[in-house]
Amino acid sequence: MKKTIIATLITLSASAFAQTDQEIAKNLFEQLKQKSFMQAPQNLYVGGPPHGPVRAVVEGNINGQRTIVKFNYGGPSITPEKVAKDPKKWLKALTVMQKRPDYDPAHKDWFWAKYKPNGELFVKNSITRAGKDKGCIACHQAASGNDLVFTHNAKVNAEISIVN
């Protein structure tokens, strides 16, 4: 009985200090700026939905956690050349996946977030796009390699930029 009460108190204490998905997402966006993900050189390439007609991928580690950022560019008659001249004008969203130990073992422990260029989280159908995002997971389950990460094929996609 005593062990059960102690175990319950420890569990309750741990959950009281656990961050919400929105708090994780807010902290993650700040860390992206501090780690220079936002200023990393980008290899632009043409893509399609849901990430936009032009995009770039930047990858690195934040506190030892693998972090992948996809810059999603869009607009009328968008081209990689137009984006290269004025990326801020064309940036529509940033989609991020970060590997977080024990976060979501059923989905390879990825945390997902979709941000507006100013760092505000997207909300769709009253659902904030942060955490165990069903849309992201459903799409990324088609990725080869059993890790929900699409292989960057140089014939189709540009090489990713690495942030150290």
Side-chain angles (χ1 to χ4, degrees):
M1 176 73 167
K2 196 175 196 180
K3 287 182 182 179
T4 303
I5 292 171
I6 291 171
T8 302
L9 289 173
I10 290 171
T11 302
L12 289 173
S13 296
S15 64
F17 295 109
Q19 288 184 304
T20 66
D21 288 340
Q22 290 184 22
E23 290 169 331
I24 292 169
K26 182 180 178 184
N27 291 336
L28 177 55
F29 192 81
E30 289 304 313
Q31 292 172 326
L32 292 174
K33 291 190 299 186
Q34 292 172 11
K35 282 285 289 178
S36 300
F37 278 78
M38 309 303 259
Q39 291 80 28
Q42 295 185 358
N43 296 307
L44 299 168
Y45 64 98
V46 175
H51 292 291
V54 177
R55 51 188 151 187
V57 178
V58 177
E59 183 173 341
N61 285 300
I62 295 177
N63 300 326
Q65 297 168 323
R66 183 178 182 194
T67 305
I68 301 170
V69 181
K70 190 168 284 177
F71 291 80
N72 309 296
Y73 297 99
S77 304
I78 187 75
T79 64
E81 294 77 22
K82 287 181 180 180
V83 173
K85 288 180 185 173
D86 190 0
K88 288 183 181 180
K89 175 181 177 180
W90 303 100
L91 183 62
K92 301 301 180 203
L94 295 102
T95 49
V96 179
M97 45 192 302
Q98 183 179 57
K99 193 83 154 177
R100 299 181 66 85
D102 302 318
Y103 176 75
D104 185 10
H107 301 108
K108 309 300 181 189
D109 290 323
W110 287 106
F111 174 87
W112 311 83
K114 182 176 182 180
Y115 302 95
K116 295 177 182 179
N118 67 359
E120 182 182 331
L121 286 166
F122 268 83
V123 177
K124 183 177 181 181
N125 300 327
S126 302
I127 298 171
T128 302
R129 301 294 305 272
K132 300 171 186 172
D133 191 278
K134 291 178 183 179
C136 297
I137 293 167
C139 182
H140 279 255
Q141 285 180 329
S144 62
N146 196 31
D147 194 25
L148 304 181
V149 178
F150 287 99
T151 302
H152 300 284
N153 180 337
K155 292 179 183 174
V156 179
N157 302 328
E159 295 294 321
I160 62 171
S161 297
I162 304 294
V163 174
N164 294 317

Coordinates of all heavy atoms in Angstrom, one line a residue, residues 26-93:
K26 N 6.6 26.2 -28.4 CA 7.1 27.6 -28.2 C 8.6 27.6 -27.9 O 9.4 28.3 -28.5 CB 6.3 28.2 -27.1 CG 6.8 29.7 -26.8 CD 6.0 30.3 -25.7 CE 6.5 31.7 -25.5 NZ 5.8 32.3 -24.3
N27 N 9.0 26.7 -27.0 CA 10.5 26.6 -26.7 C 11.3 26.1 -27.9 O 12.4 26.6 -28.2 CB 10.7 25.6 -25.6 CG 10.2 26.2 -24.2 OD1 10.0 27.4 -24.1 ND2 9.8 25.3 -23.3
L28 N 10.7 25.2 -28.7 CA 11.4 24.7 -29.9 C 11.6 25.8 -30.9 O 12.7 26.0 -31.4 CB 10.6 23.6 -30.5 CG 11.2 22.9 -31.8 CD1 12.6 22.5 -31.6 CD2 10.3 21.8 -32.2
F29 N 10.7 26.7 -31.1 CA 10.8 27.8 -32.1 C 11.9 28.7 -31.6 O 12.7 29.2 -32.4 CB 9.5 28.5 -32.3 CG 9.6 29.4 -33.5 CD1 9.4 28.9 -34.8 CD2 9.8 30.8 -33.4 CE1 9.5 29.8 -35.9 CE2 9.9 31.6 -34.5 CZ 9.8 31.1 -35.7
E30 N 12.0 29.0 -30.3 CA 13.0 29.9 -29.8 C 14.4 29.2 -30.0 O 15.4 29.9 -30.4 CB 12.8 30.2 -28.3 CG 11.6 31.1 -28.1 CD 11.7 32.5 -28.9 OE1 12.8 33.1 -28.9 OE2 10.7 32.8 -29.5
Q31 N 14.5 27.9 -29.8 CA 15.8 27.2 -30.0 C 16.2 27.2 -31.4 O 17.4 27.3 -31.7 CB 15.7 25.8 -29.4 CG 15.5 25.8 -27.9 CD 15.2 24.4 -27.4 OE1 14.5 23.6 -28.0 NE2 15.7 24.1 -26.2
L32 N 15.2 27.1 -32.3 CA 15.5 27.1 -33.8 C 16.2 28.4 -34.1 O 17.2 28.5 -34.9 CB 14.3 27.0 -34.6 CG 13.5 25.7 -34.6 CD1 12.2 25.8 -35.4 CD2 14.4 24.6 -35.1
K33 N 15.8 29.5 -33.6 CA 16.4 30.8 -33.8 C 17.8 30.9 -33.2 O 18.7 31.4 -33.9 CB 15.5 32.0 -33.3 CG 14.2 32.1 -34.0 CD 13.4 33.4 -33.7 CE 13.0 33.4 -32.2 NZ 12.2 34.5 -31.9
Q34 N 17.9 30.4 -32.0 CA 19.2 30.5 -31.4 C 20.3 29.6 -32.0 O 21.4 29.9 -32.0 CB 19.1 30.1 -29.9 CG 18.3 31.1 -29.1 CD 18.0 30.6 -27.7 OE1 18.5 29.6 -27.2 NE2 17.1 31.3 -27.0
K35 N 19.8 28.5 -32.6 CA 20.8 27.5 -33.2 C 21.0 27.8 -34.7 O 21.6 27.0 -35.4 CB 20.2 26.1 -33.1 CG 20.4 25.4 -31.7 CD 21.8 25.0 -31.5 CE 22.2 23.8 -32.3 NZ 23.5 23.4 -32.2
S36 N 20.5 28.9 -35.2 CA 20.8 29.4 -36.5 C 20.1 28.6 -37.6 O 20.5 28.6 -38.8 CB 22.3 29.5 -36.8 OG 22.9 30.4 -35.9
F37 N 19.1 27.8 -37.2 CA 18.3 27.1 -38.3 C 17.7 28.1 -39.3 O 17.6 27.9 -40.4 CB 17.2 26.3 -37.6 CG 17.6 25.0 -37.1 CD1 18.2 24.9 -35.9 CD2 17.3 23.8 -37.8 CE1 18.6 23.7 -35.4 CE2 17.7 22.6 -37.3 CZ 18.3 22.5 -36.1
M38 N 17.3 29.3 -38.7 CA 16.6 30.3 -39.6 C 17.5 31.0 -40.6 O 17.1 31.5 -41.6 CB 15.9 31.3 -38.7 CG 15.0 30.7 -37.6 SD 13.8 29.7 -38.3 CE 12.4 30.8 -38.2
Q39 N 18.8 31.0 -40.3 CA 19.8 31.7 -41.1 C 20.6 30.7 -41.9 O 21.5 31.1 -42.7 CB 20.7 32.6 -40.3 CG 20.1 33.8 -39.7 CD 19.3 33.5 -38.4 OE1 19.6 32.5 -37.7 NE2 18.2 34.2 -38.2
A40 N 20.4 29.4 -41.8 CA 21.2 28.4 -42.5 C 21.0 28.5 -44.0 O 19.9 28.9 -44.5 CB 20.8 27.0 -42.1
P41 N 22.1 28.3 -44.8 CA 21.9 28.3 -46.2 C 20.9 27.2 -46.6 O 20.8 26.2 -46.0 CB 23.3 27.9 -46.7 CG 24.2 27.8 -45.6 CD 23.4 27.9 -44.3
Q42 N 20.1 27.6 -47.6 CA 19.0 26.7 -48.1 C 19.2 26.2 -49.5 O 19.6 27.0 -50.4 CB 17.7 27.4 -47.9 CG 17.3 27.7 -46.5 CD 15.9 28.3 -46.4 OE1 15.2 28.5 -47.4 NE2 15.5 28.6 -45.2
N43 N 19.0 25.0 -49.7 CA 19.0 24.4 -51.1 C 17.5 24.3 -51.5 O 16.8 23.3 -51.0 CB 19.7 23.0 -51.1 CG 21.2 23.2 -50.7 OD1 21.9 24.0 -51.4 ND2 21.6 22.4 -49.7
L44 N 17.0 25.2 -52.2 CA 15.6 25.3 -52.6 C 15.3 24.2 -53.7 O 16.1 23.9 -54.5 CB 15.3 26.6 -53.1 CG 15.5 27.8 -52.2 CD1 15.4 29.1 -52.9 CD2 14.5 27.7 -51.0
Y45 N 14.1 23.6 -53.6 CA 13.7 22.7 -54.6 C 12.2 22.8 -54.7 O 11.5 23.3 -53.9 CB 14.1 21.2 -54.2 CG 13.6 20.6 -53.0 CD1 12.5 19.8 -53.0 CD2 14.1 20.9 -51.7 CE1 11.9 19.2 -51.9 CE2 13.6 20.3 -50.6 CZ 12.5 19.5 -50.7 OH 12.0 18.9 -49.5
V46 N 11.7 22.2 -55.8 CA 10.3 22.3 -56.2 C 9.6 21.0 -55.5 O 10.1 19.9 -55.6 CB 10.1 22.2 -57.7 CG1 8.6 22.1 -58.1 CG2 10.7 23.5 -58.3
G47 N 8.5 21.3 -54.9 CA 7.7 20.2 -54.2 C 6.2 20.4 -54.5 O 5.8 21.0 -55.4
G48 N 5.5 19.8 -53.6 CA 4.0 19.9 -53.7 C 3.3 19.8 -52.4 O 4.0 20.0 -51.4
P49 N 2.0 19.7 -52.4 CA 1.3 19.7 -51.1 C 1.8 18.6 -50.2 O 2.3 17.5 -50.7 CB -0.1 19.4 -51.5 CG -0.2 19.7 -53.0 CD 1.2 19.4 -53.5
P50 N 1.8 18.7 -48.9 CA 1.2 19.9 -48.2 C 2.2 21.0 -47.9 O 1.9 22.0 -47.3 CB 0.7 19.2 -46.9 CG 1.7 18.2 -46.6 CD 2.1 17.6 -48.0
H51 N 3.5 20.8 -48.3 CA 4.5 21.7 -47.9 C 4.8 22.9 -48.8 O 5.6 23.7 -48.5 CB 5.8 20.9 -47.7 CG 5.8 20.0 -46.5 ND1 5.7 20.4 -45.2 CD2 5.7 18.7 -46.4 CE1 5.6 19.4 -44.4 NE2 5.6 18.3 -45.1
G52 N 4.1 23.0 -49.9 CA 4.3 24.1 -50.8 C 5.1 23.8 -52.0 O 5.8 22.8 -52.1
P53 N 4.9 24.7 -53.0 CA 5.6 24.4 -54.3 C 7.1 24.6 -54.3 O 7.8 24.1 -55.2 CB 4.9 25.4 -55.2 CG 4.3 26.5 -54.3 CD 4.0 25.8 -53.0
V54 N 7.6 25.4 -53.4 CA 9.1 25.5 -53.2 C 9.4 25.3 -51.7 O 8.7 25.8 -50.9 CB 9.6 26.9 -53.7 CG1 11.1 27.1 -53.5 CG2 9.2 27.1 -55.2
R55 N 10.5 24.6 -51.5 CA 10.8 24.3 -50.1 C 12.3 24.1 -49.9 O 13.0 23.9 -50.9 CB 10.0 23.2 -49.5 CG 10.1 21.9 -50.4 CD 9.1 20.9 -49.9 NE 8.6 20.1 -51.0 CZ 7.7 19.2 -50.9 NH1 7.1 19.0 -49.7 NH2 7.3 18.4 -51.9
A56 N 12.7 24.0 -48.7 CA 14.1 23.7 -48.3 C 14.0 23.0 -47.0 O 13.1 23.2 -46.2 CB 14.9 25.0 -48.2
V57 N 15.0 22.1 -46.8 CA 15.1 21.3 -45.5 C 16.4 21.6 -44.8 O 17.5 21.6 -45.5 CB 15.0 19.8 -45.8 CG1 15.1 19.0 -44.5 CG2 13.7 19.5 -46.5
V58 N 16.3 21.9 -43.6 CA 17.5 22.2 -42.7 C 17.4 21.2 -41.6 O 16.4 21.0 -40.9 CB 17.5 23.6 -42.2 CG1 18.7 23.9 -41.3 CG2 17.6 24.6 -43.4
E59 N 18.6 20.5 -41.3 CA 18.6 19.6 -40.2 C 19.7 19.8 -39.3 O 20.8 20.3 -39.7 CB 18.7 18.1 -40.8 CG 18.7 17.1 -39.7 CD 18.6 15.7 -40.3 OE1 18.3 15.5 -41.5 OE2 19.0 14.7 -39.6
G60 N 19.5 19.5 -38.0 CA 20.6 19.6 -37.0 C 20.1 19.0 -35.7 O 19.1 18.3 -35.6
N61 N 20.9 19.3 -34.6 CA 20.5 18.9 -33.3 C 20.3 20.0 -32.4 O 21.0 21.0 -32.4 CB 21.6 18.0 -32.7 CG 21.7 16.6 -33.4 OD1 20.7 15.9 -33.3 ND2 22.8 16.3 -34.0
I62 N 19.3 19.9 -31.5 CA 19.0 20.8 -30.4 C 19.0 20.0 -29.2 O 18.2 19.1 -29.0 CB 17.7 21.6 -30.6 CG1 17.7 22.4 -31.9 CG2 17.4 22.4 -29.4 CD1 16.4 23.2 -32.2
N63 N 20.0 20.3 -28.3 CA 20.1 19.5 -27.0 C 20.2 18.0 -27.3 O 19.6 17.2 -26.6 CB 18.9 19.9 -26.1 CG 18.9 21.3 -25.7 OD1 19.9 22.0 -25.6 ND2 17.7 21.9 -25.5
G64 N 20.9 17.7 -28.3 CA 21.1 16.3 -28.7 C 19.9 15.6 -29.3 O 19.9 14.4 -29.6
Q65 N 18.9 16.4 -29.7 CA 17.7 15.8 -30.3 C 17.7 16.2 -31.8 O 17.8 17.4 -32.2 CB 16.4 16.4 -29.6 CG 16.4 15.9 -28.2 CD 15.3 16.7 -27.4 OE1 15.1 17.9 -27.6 NE2 14.6 16.0 -26.5
R66 N 17.6 15.2 -32.6 CA 17.5 15.4 -34.1 C 16.3 16.3 -34.4 O 15.2 16.0 -34.0 CB 17.4 14.0 -34.8 CG 17.4 14.2 -36.3 CD 17.3 12.8 -36.9 NE 17.4 12.9 -38.4 CZ 17.1 11.9 -39.2 NH1 16.7 10.8 -38.7 NH2 17.1 12.1 -40.5
T67 N 16.6 17.3 -35.2 CA 15.6 18.3 -35.5 C 15.6 18.6 -37.0 O 16.7 18.9 -37.5 CB 15.8 19.6 -34.7 OG1 15.9 19.3 -33.3 CG2 14.7 20.6 -35.0
I68 N 14.5 18.5 -37.7 CA 14.4 18.7 -39.1 C 13.4 19.8 -39.3 O 12.2 19.8 -38.8 CB 13.9 17.4 -39.8 CG1 14.9 16.3 -39.5 CG2 13.7 17.7 -41.3 CD1 14.4 14.9 -40.0
V69 N 13.8 20.8 -40.1 CA 12.9 22.0 -40.4 C 12.7 22.1 -41.9 O 13.7 22.1 -42.6 CB 13.5 23.3 -39.9 CG1 12.6 24.5 -40.1 CG2 13.9 23.2 -38.4
K70 N 11.4 22.1 -42.3 CA 11.1 22.3 -43.7 C 10.5 23.7 -43.8 O 9.6 24.1 -43.2 CB 10.1 21.3 -44.1 CG 10.0 21.3 -45.7 CD 9.2 20.1 -46.1 CE 10.1 18.8 -46.1 NZ 9.4 17.6 -46.5
F71 N 11.2 24.5 -44.7 CA 10.7 25.8 -45.0 C 9.8 25.7 -46.2 O 10.2 25.2 -47.2 CB 11.9 26.7 -45.3 CG 12.8 27.0 -44.1 CD1 13.8 26.1 -43.7 CD2 12.7 28.2 -43.4 CE1 14.6 26.4 -42.6 CE2 13.5 28.5 -42.3 CZ 14.4 27.6 -41.9
N72 N 8.6 26.2 -46.0 CA 7.5 26.0 -47.0 C 7.3 27.4 -47.7 O 6.8 28.3 -47.0 CB 6.3 25.5 -46.4 CG 6.5 24.3 -45.6 OD1 6.9 23.2 -46.1 ND2 6.3 24.3 -44.3
Y73 N 7.6 27.5 -49.0 CA 7.4 28.8 -49.7 C 6.2 28.6 -50.7 O 6.0 27.6 -51.3 CB 8.7 29.1 -50.4 CG 9.8 29.3 -49.5 CD1 10.8 28.3 -49.3 CD2 10.0 30.5 -48.9 CE1 11.9 28.5 -48.5 CE2 11.1 30.8 -48.0 CZ 12.0 29.7 -47.8 OH 13.1 29.9 -47.0
G74 N 5.5 29.7 -50.9 CA 4.4 29.7 -51.8 C 4.0 31.1 -52.3 O 4.5 32.1 -51.7
G75 N 3.1 31.2 -53.2 CA 2.7 32.4 -53.8 C 2.5 32.3 -55.3 O 2.9 31.3 -55.9
P76 N 1.9 33.3 -55.9 CA 1.6 33.3 -57.3 C 2.9 33.2 -58.1 O 3.9 33.9 -57.9 CB 0.9 34.6 -57.6 CG 0.6 35.2 -56.3 CD 1.4 34.5 -55.3
S77 N 2.9 32.2 -59.1 CA 4.1 32.0 -60.0 C 5.4 31.9 -59.2 O 6.5 32.3 -59.7 CB 4.2 33.2 -61.0 OG 3.0 33.4 -61.7
I78 N 5.4 31.2 -58.1 CA 6.6 31.0 -57.3 C 7.6 30.1 -58.0 O 7.2 29.2 -58.7 CB 6.2 30.4 -55.9 CG1 7.3 30.4 -55.0 CG2 5.6 29.0 -56.1 CD1 7.7 31.7 -54.4
T79 N 8.8 30.5 -57.8 CA 10.0 29.7 -58.4 C 11.1 29.7 -57.3 O 11.1 30.6 -56.5 CB 10.5 30.3 -59.7 OG1 11.1 31.6 -59.4 CG2 9.4 30.4 -60.8
P80 N 12.0 28.8 -57.4 CA 13.1 28.8 -56.5 C 13.9 30.1 -56.7 O 14.5 30.6 -55.7 CB 13.9 27.6 -56.9 CG 12.9 26.6 -57.4 CD 11.9 27.5 -58.1
E81 N 14.0 30.6 -57.9 CA 14.8 31.8 -58.1 C 14.1 33.0 -57.4 O 14.8 33.8 -56.8 CB 14.9 32.1 -59.6 CG 15.7 31.1 -60.4 CD 14.9 29.7 -60.7 OE1 13.7 29.7 -60.6 OE2 15.6 28.7 -60.9
K82 N 12.8 33.1 -57.4 CA 12.1 34.2 -56.7 C 12.3 34.1 -55.2 O 12.6 35.1 -54.5 CB 10.6 34.2 -57.0 CG 10.3 34.7 -58.4 CD 8.8 34.6 -58.6 CE 8.4 35.1 -60.0 NZ 6.9 35.1 -60.2
V83 N 12.3 32.9 -54.7 CA 12.5 32.7 -53.3 C 13.9 33.1 -52.9 O 14.1 33.7 -51.9 CB 12.2 31.2 -52.9 CG1 12.6 31.0 -51.4 CG2 10.7 30.9 -53.1
A84 N 14.9 32.7 -53.7 CA 16.3 33.0 -53.4 C 16.5 34.5 -53.3 O 17.3 34.9 -52.5 CB 17.2 32.3 -54.5
K85 N 15.8 35.2 -54.1 CA 16.0 36.7 -54.1 C 15.3 37.4 -52.9 O 15.8 38.4 -52.4 CB 15.4 37.3 -55.4 CG 16.2 37.0 -56.6 CD 15.5 37.7 -57.8 CE 16.3 37.3 -59.1 NZ 15.7 37.7 -60.3
D86 N 14.2 36.8 -52.4 CA 13.5 37.4 -51.3 C 12.8 36.3 -50.5 O 11.5 36.3 -50.5 CB 12.5 38.5 -51.8 CG 11.9 39.3 -50.7 OD1 12.3 39.1 -49.5 OD2 11.1 40.2 -51.0
P87 N 13.5 35.5 -49.7 CA 12.8 34.4 -49.0 C 11.7 34.8 -48.0 O 10.7 34.2 -47.9 CB 13.9 33.7 -48.2 CG 15.2 34.3 -48.7 CD 14.9 35.5 -49.5
K88 N 11.9 35.9 -47.3 CA 10.9 36.4 -46.4 C 9.5 36.7 -47.0 O 8.5 36.4 -46.5 CB 11.4 37.6 -45.6 CG 12.4 37.3 -44.6 CD 12.8 38.5 -43.8 CE 13.9 38.1 -42.8 NZ 14.4 39.3 -42.0
K89 N 9.6 37.2 -48.2 CA 8.4 37.5 -49.0 C 7.5 36.3 -49.3 O 6.3 36.3 -49.2 CB 8.7 38.2 -50.3 CG 7.5 38.5 -51.2 CD 8.0 39.1 -52.5 CE 6.8 39.4 -53.4 NZ 7.2 40.0 -54.7
W90 N 8.2 35.1 -49.5 CA 7.5 33.9 -50.0 C 7.3 32.9 -48.9 O 6.5 31.9 -49.1 CB 8.3 33.3 -51.1 CG 8.5 34.3 -52.3 CD1 9.6 35.0 -52.5 CD2 7.5 34.6 -53.3 NE1 9.4 35.8 -53.6 CE2 8.1 35.6 -54.1 CE3 6.2 34.2 -53.5 CZ2 7.5 36.2 -55.2 CZ3 5.6 34.8 -54.6 CH2 6.2 35.7 -55.5
L91 N 7.9 33.0 -47.7 CA 7.8 32.0 -46.7 C 6.4 32.0 -46.1 O 5.8 33.0 -45.7 CB 8.8 32.3 -45.5 CG 8.8 31.3 -44.4 CD1 9.2 29.9 -44.9 CD2 9.7 31.8 -43.3
K92 N 5.7 30.8 -46.2 CA 4.4 30.7 -45.7 C 4.3 29.9 -44.4 O 3.4 30.1 -43.6 CB 3.5 30.0 -46.8 CG 3.5 30.7 -48.1 CD 2.9 32.1 -48.0 CE 2.9 32.8 -49.3 NZ 2.9 34.3 -49.2
A93 N 5.2 29.0 -44.2 CA 5.1 28.1 -43.0 C 6.5 27.4 -42.8 O 7.3 27.3 -43.7 CB 4.0 27.1 -43.1

